[in-house]
Amino acid sequence: MKIANRMENLSPSVTMAITALGRELKAQGKDIISFSAGEPDFDTPEIIKQAAIKAITDGHTKYTAVEGITQTKQAIINKLKKDHNLEYNLDHIVISNGAKHSLFNLFQVLIEKGDEVIIPAPYWVTYPEQVKFSDGVPVFINTDDTTEFKITPEQLKEAITPKTKILLLNTPSNPTGSVYTREELTAIGEVLKGTDIIVLSDEMYEKIMYDGKKFTATAEVSHDMYLRTVTINGLSKAVAMTGWRFGYLATPRTDLVKAMIKLQGQVTSNVNSITQYAAIPALEGDADETIELMRVQFEKRKNIAVDSFNAIEGLSCFNPDGAFYLFVNIQEVSSDSMKFCADLLEEKGVALVPGLAFGTEGYVRFSFATDLESIQEGIRRIKEFVESK
């Protein structure tokens, strides 16, 4: 049997592979501390779990509309209006099996062979793989910590060609935690005026912001950006619902919505009904107090981790405004992030993700979505490792 050629261009997820390796080594009895997974260590808020239980006891266990039940879609609409003053209706929303699924749907219905998708680097590992799988061409704009890993309008102008179909923005960013300000998004919007370029805005970490900073949604900065932006979001990160698999997409482009519903109807049909009912209190703000408690703990961990890394000679760390990652500069210690991570795991039992996986060599990603004791012990081991070089 011959595997289809399309699979040859699809690389496995490095973050998932390293997470799995760390678990395997831990199961073998080895002392492993993993900072590779982008998964909160907190439990799903109780009010959400109770909503799921009620959905089961009420018999909400059947097929739903492919794009989601009306109540949950309306909760998304209300959330976007309340948080960002954005106007959507039921025909503008598609609920999918996680934001990754929403991304896949969008790329599949938009990209034709040779279409270019501009992706700022560092990037989440899935973006270029899904673009390539859809016969598109990823076009990377390289950034570094001197610009807080954000692209400039000038860089965007240079990257645009007649083949450009999509600009992909991730704010707050995985893996860097950088966040685009309203002014920066407005400037990007000015570059795009007069083009047909779609902006895909991945805003999964919008609720995880630090130091009093306010999140700005890409679609809210101007009417032009509203019309061209496809917002992708979900509940995995801020609401600690990774295993529930709930993502959603919002766009005023009903042609896109209809195409994605058609595709999803032939691939997965609807998101499981229990998750959809459980998502309603999360979207309506009933879990906001618990979400804020989690965010406060993330901020405490972030501050300690940033200070600890910056105290290690040879390492430096940009202080992020959002998400729960640090993108640590290791260039004074190593020019090979894969080897750095492999040696660190073998010698000290600490799992990090190499920057090369995110398209940027000379860095490693450290997830602080874990307990403070593990963070402090892990960084102590990293310090010992670096000082031994």
Side-chain angles (χ1 to χ4, degrees):
M1 180 180 66
K2 183 180 181 300
I3 302 298
N5 288 336
R6 72 176 68 91
M7 294 306 298
E8 294 179 6
N9 293 325
L10 190 67
S11 302
S13 168
V14 175
T15 55
M16 299 296 285
I18 292 174
T19 300
L21 176 60
R23 287 174 180 162
E24 181 182 334
L25 293 171
K26 201 166 188 175
Q28 294 172 7
K30 297 184 179 180
D31 182 16
I32 303 295
I33 305 177
S34 179
F35 303 102
S36 59
E39 181 170 48
D41 58 322
F42 300 106
D43 194 11
T44 302
E46 185 64 25
I47 193 168
I48 295 169
K49 292 193 285 186
Q50 290 303 317
I53 293 169
K54 186 176 187 303
I56 294 171
T57 58
D58 287 350
H60 295 306
T61 56
K62 308 298 184 183
Y63 289 130
T64 77
V66 169
E67 66 273 24
I69 61 173
T70 298
Q71 298 97 310
T72 309
K73 290 172 65 179
Q74 188 61 54
I76 292 168
I77 292 167
N78 296 344
K79 180 258 181 228
L80 292 167
K81 174 64 176 177
K82 180 183 71 174
D83 290 353
H84 308 299
N85 199 32
L86 291 168
E87 298 281 354
Y88 295 100
N89 62 46
L90 292 172
D91 294 332
H92 296 158
I93 309 295
V94 180
I95 298 171
S96 300
N97 294 277
K100 188 179 288 188
H101 186 203
S102 298
L103 284 163
F104 185 81
N105 283 346
L106 183 69
F107 289 140
Q108 286 289 303
V109 304
L110 265 184
I111 296 175
E112 296 186 286
K113 189 173 182 62
D115 284 344
E116 295 178 351
V117 178
I118 296 175
I119 305 175
Y123 45 73
W124 182 39
V125 295
T126 294
Y127 296 148
E129 297 304 319
Q130 288 196 0
V131 169
K132 289 186 292 184
F133 192 80
S134 304
D135 282 335
V137 179
V139 174
F140 302 114
I141 300 179
N142 294 316
T143 67
D144 58 31
D145 42 14
T146 62
T147 59
E148 299 184 353
F149 301 104
K150 292 184 279 190
I151 63 170
T152 65
E154 291 72 27
Q155 286 179 304
L156 178 57
K157 285 178 187 175
E158 292 178 6
I160 291 173
T161 76
K163 293 183 178 180
T164 303
K165 191 73 167 283
I166 300 170
L167 166 64
L168 201 163
L169 294 177
N170 178 206
T171 176
S173 163
N174 173 10
T176 67
S178 61
V179 181
Y180 285 89
T181 65
R182 178 178 293 273
E183 292 73 24
E184 289 165 339
L185 290 171
T186 300
I188 286 171
E190 287 298 315
V191 174
L192 298 175
K193 277 186 177 178
T195 74
D196 293 326
I197 297 170
I198 294 290
V199 178
L200 194 168
S201 187
D202 181 346
E203 301 175 0
M204 176 61 72
Y205 297 90
E206 67 159 316
K207 297 289 187 182
I208 308 176
M209 295 284 293
Y210 305 121
D211 304 319
K213 300 289 179 63
K214 186 180 184 302
F215 173 78
T216 299
T218 301
E220 71 176 281
V221 299
S222 70
H223 183 64
D224 184 77
M225 283 292 267
Y226 166 75
L227 293 176
R228 72 172 68 247
T229 296
V230 179
T231 299
I232 287 181
N233 209 326
L235 300 175
S236 292
K237 309 301 182 176
V239 197
M241 292 178 67
T242 50
W244 297 71
R245 308 315 301 137
F246 182 90
Y248 65 85
L249 176 152
T251 174
R253 294 285 302 271
T254 55
D255 53 341
L256 286 182
V257 170
K258 289 176 182 177
M260 283 181 279
I261 293 171
K262 184 191 297 185
L263 173 64
Q264 186 163 300
Q266 295 291 5
V267 179
T268 65
S269 192
N270 59 277
V271 175
N272 91 70
S273 57
I274 311 306
T275 289
Q276 291 190 60
Y277 282 96
I280 294 173
L283 293 162
E284 291 183 338
D286 296 342
D288 281 0
E289 186 175 337
T290 306
I291 292 169
E292 175 61 12
L293 290 174
M294 290 190 283
R295 189 206 64 78
V296 168
Q297 289 303 308
F298 285 140
E299 183 161 15
K300 180 180 178 182
R301 298 169 183 180
K302 185 261 301 183
N303 291 336
I304 291 172
V306 168
D307 289 344
S308 298
F309 272 117
N310 284 329
I312 301 174
E313 187 174 354
L315 301 185
S316 62
C317 183
F318 154 72
N319 190 354
D321 289 332
F324 40 63
Y325 308 104
L326 302 182
F327 209 53
V328 183
N329 189 324
I330 63 168
Q331 293 172 38
E332 291 185 22
V333 177
S334 174
S335 59
D336 187 339
S337 60
M338 292 288 285
K339 186 176 188 306
F340 180 95
C341 290
D343 291 348
L344 177 64
L345 183 58
E346 181 180 351
E347 296 177 26
K348 296 296 181 180
V350 176
L352 303 178
V353 186
L356 192 61
F358 306 102
T360 306
E361 185 57 279
Y363 297 84
V364 294
R365 192 190 75 171
F366 177 96
S367 169
F368 53 87
T370 190
D371 64 279
L372 190 54
E373 182 180 352
S374 296
I375 289 170
Q376 291 173 319
E377 172 60 17
I379 296 177
R380 184 192 68 78
R381 295 186 193 183
I382 294 169
K383 183 174 186 291
E384 284 183 353
F385 175 76
V386 170
E387 289 176 344
S388 70
K389 297 302 172 184

